[in-house]
């Protein structure tokens, strides 16, 4: 296996503890919460709280599995590295390219969401124009030093966290204050068709969309190669994931659903035929007549989408750089600019993500739903590979008589639970018309990856020759 060892391809460790903490937090708050929850609400009603709670627990377990490997060996492009080392060359190759494809798709989805947020103020501006503008802006920022990326993401995350906390506080004051708005009551959580209004089937159909919300948690894994003290910062960031999910998803959505009947909110969002026409959080403030707050929150959710897009550009570039070092991508992707940024990897990422502008031009109303389905498909494979690779990692450590300092809880039962959950999500997607295509594409994607792997396979050791 060819590895990058020269100084001109080694990433600088320029991310501090506060950067890592906020990058991990920022990846958990984005379009999946602020916009994707609209589709979840339509399917599951108030029972979406159970869905986010259970999916969040699975996400936390998977992050702990990844975290144990990262603390033992802090590298960028982590899953592809560990799959390559503890499973096989093909699975390392698959993990790397699957992460690359998945994060590019997330970037496309976030750019699409940005266009919808801007249309809250200026509906005449097409989504493709907004996507094009912010595409250029964010990729320009990523050409700068990694410390600047860390600072940018830090302040993006501060804005998001502050906004969600203020929204929860405002909602609680509206609910329990001296003059609650008409229709606002905690009983809205169960009085409009029950807590599970569309039955267990509705909740199950919502689970794939819920998974989309947690796809950014792996951002932490890509910071390991540039973290100053990964053995301390990585566990600290991962351990807080469960609290963040409880507060920012369960807390915020519970307040939202109590402020107005969920079915009224869904009807308002779907009035134009598109359930993702606006953020439910912005819409509820608009319906309650708090126009100024709605405008401020819309600015925040716009910032949130840009934050996640900024993060996926960072992660995709580091993934391509790591794969080039492993021999799983062209070595020219190792090239760094004077700021220490893998510049060729950034250009490749930008070139492919630019398709989002074209998609929004061709199909402005259907693009987000399609991209969300494709993102979930790649997330399924990433999570499955993480749990499986962690099983192989622990067994290799046991054989070698070695121990790890940051152990994943309930091993190996938690691994098997995650794998079963992921298999169930895939089965559910096969019954959802808007997601069936993404399930059918999985075997075709695997065949493509295996075909290119075999094409460039140079020896039984698994080394690849990319020029």
């Amino acid at each position: 296996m060819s590895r990058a060892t020269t100084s001109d391809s080694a990433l600088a460790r320029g991310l501090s503890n506060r950067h890592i903490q906020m990058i991990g937090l920022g990846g958990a708050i984005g379009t999946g919460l602020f916009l994707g929850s609209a589709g979840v609400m339509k399917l599951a009603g108030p029972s979406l709280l159970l869905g986010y709670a259970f999916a969040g627990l699975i996400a936390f377990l998977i992050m702990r599995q990844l975290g144990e490997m990262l603390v033992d060996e802090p590298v960028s492009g982590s899953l592809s590295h560990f799959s390559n080392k503890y499973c096989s060359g093909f699975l390392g190759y698959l993990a790397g390219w699957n992460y690359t494809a998945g994060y590019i798709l997330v970037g496309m989805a976030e750019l699409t969401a940005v266009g919808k947020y801007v249309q809250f103020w200026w509906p005449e501006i097409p989504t493709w124009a907004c996507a094009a503008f912010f595409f250029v802006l964010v990729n320009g920022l990523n050409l700068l030093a990694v410390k600047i990326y860390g600072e940018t993401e830090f302040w993006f995350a501060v804005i998001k966290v502050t906004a969600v906390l203020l929204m929860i506080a405002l909602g609680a004051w509206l609910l329990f204050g001296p003059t609650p708005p008409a229709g606002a009551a905690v009983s809205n959580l169960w009085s409009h068709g029950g807590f599970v209004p569309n039955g267990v089937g509705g909740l199950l159909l919502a689970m794939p969309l819920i998974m989309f919300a947690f796809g950014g948690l792996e951002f932490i894994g890509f910071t390991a190669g540039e973290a100053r003290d990964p053995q301390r910062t990585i566990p600290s960031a991962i351990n807080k994931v469960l609290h963040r999910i409880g507060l920012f998803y369960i807390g915020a959505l519970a307040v939202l659903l109590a402020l107005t009947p969920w079915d009224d909110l869904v009807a308002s969002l779907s009035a134009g035929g598109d359930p993702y026409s606006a953020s439910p959080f912005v819409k509820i403030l608009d319906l309650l007549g708090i126009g100024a707050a709605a405008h401020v929150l819309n600015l925040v959710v716009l910032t949130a989408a840009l934050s996640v897009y900024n993060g996926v550009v960072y992660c995709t570039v580091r993934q391509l750089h790591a794969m080039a070092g492993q021999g799983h991508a062209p070595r020219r992707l190792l090239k760094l600019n004077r700021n220490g940024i893998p510049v060729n990897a950034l250009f490749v990422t930008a070139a492919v993500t630019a398709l989002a502008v074209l998609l929004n031009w061709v199909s402005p109303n259907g693009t987000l739903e399609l991209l969300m389905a494709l993102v979930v498909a790649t997330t399924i494979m990433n999570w499955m590979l993480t749990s499986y690779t962690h099983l192989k990692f622990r067994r290799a450590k046991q054989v070698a008589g070695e121990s790890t300092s940051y152990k994943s809880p309930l091993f190996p039962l938690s691994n098997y639970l995650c794998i079963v959950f992921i298999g169930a999500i895939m089965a559910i997607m096969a019954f959802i018309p808007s997601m069936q295509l993404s399930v059918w594409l999985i075997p075709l994607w695997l065949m493509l990856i295996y075909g290119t792997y075999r094409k460039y396979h140079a020896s039984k050791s698994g080394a690849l020759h990319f020029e």
Side-chain angles (χ1 to χ4, degrees), residues 26-332:
I29 306 174
T31 295
L33 171 63
F34 289 126
L35 192 61
S37 55
V40 178
M41 192 182 307
K42 182 178 181 180
L43 290 168
S47 66
L48 63 81
L49 299 175
L50 291 178
Y52 278 104
F54 187 71
L57 175 61
I58 297 295
F60 172 71
L61 291 174
I62 289 175
M63 287 304 299
R64 284 295 301 262
Q65 293 160 16
L66 179 62
E68 182 176 353
M69 295 186 287
L70 280 172
V71 171
D72 187 71
E73 189 174 354
V75 293
S76 189
S78 51
L79 182 58
S80 63
H81 170 83
F82 295 124
S83 296
N84 192 76
K85 182 174 181 178
Y86 295 103
C87 298
S88 68
F90 169 67
L91 287 183
Y93 183 80
L94 170 64
W97 285 108
N98 194 61
Y99 257 121
T100 300
Y103 275 135
I104 286 175
L105 288 167
V106 171
M108 291 180 175
E110 298 296 337
L111 284 174
T112 301
V114 164
K116 293 183 179 295
Y117 297 146
V118 170
Q119 287 176 338
F120 178 78
W121 296 306
W122 302 290
E124 69 277 6
I125 299 180
T127 52
W128 69 264
C130 295
F133 174 80
F134 289 108
F135 165 81
V136 173
L137 176 64
V138 172
N139 281 281
L141 283 174
N142 272 270
L143 281 170
L144 306 176
V146 68
K147 184 176 180 180
I148 295 177
Y149 161 77
E151 285 296 323
T152 302
E153 195 58 29
F154 175 84
W155 289 108
F156 273 157
V158 167
I159 292 171
K160 289 189 287 187
V161 171
T162 303
V164 173
L165 291 176
L166 288 175
M167 189 196 67
I168 293 173
L170 174 62
W173 183 81
L174 290 173
L175 283 169
F176 305 110
T179 55
V186 175
S187 60
N188 283 330
L189 293 173
W190 59 80
S191 61
H192 292 264
F195 183 68
V196 192
N198 297 325
V200 175
L203 176 58
L204 291 177
L205 290 175
M207 292 304 294
L209 293 176
I210 290 172
M211 276 193 66
F212 173 78
F214 297 115
L217 290 173
E218 299 100 326
F219 283 10
I220 298 170
F222 288 88
T223 64
E226 292 168 282
R228 292 174 187 165
D229 187 8
Q231 280 77 17
R232 182 174 64 89
T233 56
I234 298 299
S236 177
I238 291 176
N239 288 341
K240 293 174 181 174
V241 164
L242 210 55
H243 305 113
R244 292 163 181 165
I245 290 170
L247 177 62
F248 295 109
Y249 281 86
I250 312 303
L253 287 168
V255 169
L256 174 74
L257 292 167
L259 286 173
T260 193
W262 71 273
D263 45 353
D264 289 350
L265 182 55
V266 168
S268 179
L269 288 167
S270 303
D274 180 9
Y276 302 106
S277 61
S279 167
F281 294 91
V282 175
K283 192 69 175 180
I284 186 64
L285 294 176
D286 200 31
L287 290 174
L288 292 173
I290 313 175
H295 287 288
V296 172
L297 186 57
N298 194 62
L299 178 62
V300 171
V301 298
L302 171 62
T303 302
L306 291 174
S307 166
V308 176
Y309 177 49
N310 190 36
V312 297
V313 170
Y314 170 87
C315 291
T316 308
V317 169
R318 271 62 186 177
Q319 180 65 73
L320 287 172
H321 179 270
M323 289 166 61
Q326 297 161 9
H328 288 175
R331 289 190 59 81
R332 62 177 64 95

Side-chain angles (χ1 to χ4, degrees), residues 18 241 333 352 448:
R18 67 184 179 89
V241 164
L333 298 180
V352 180
L448 174 64

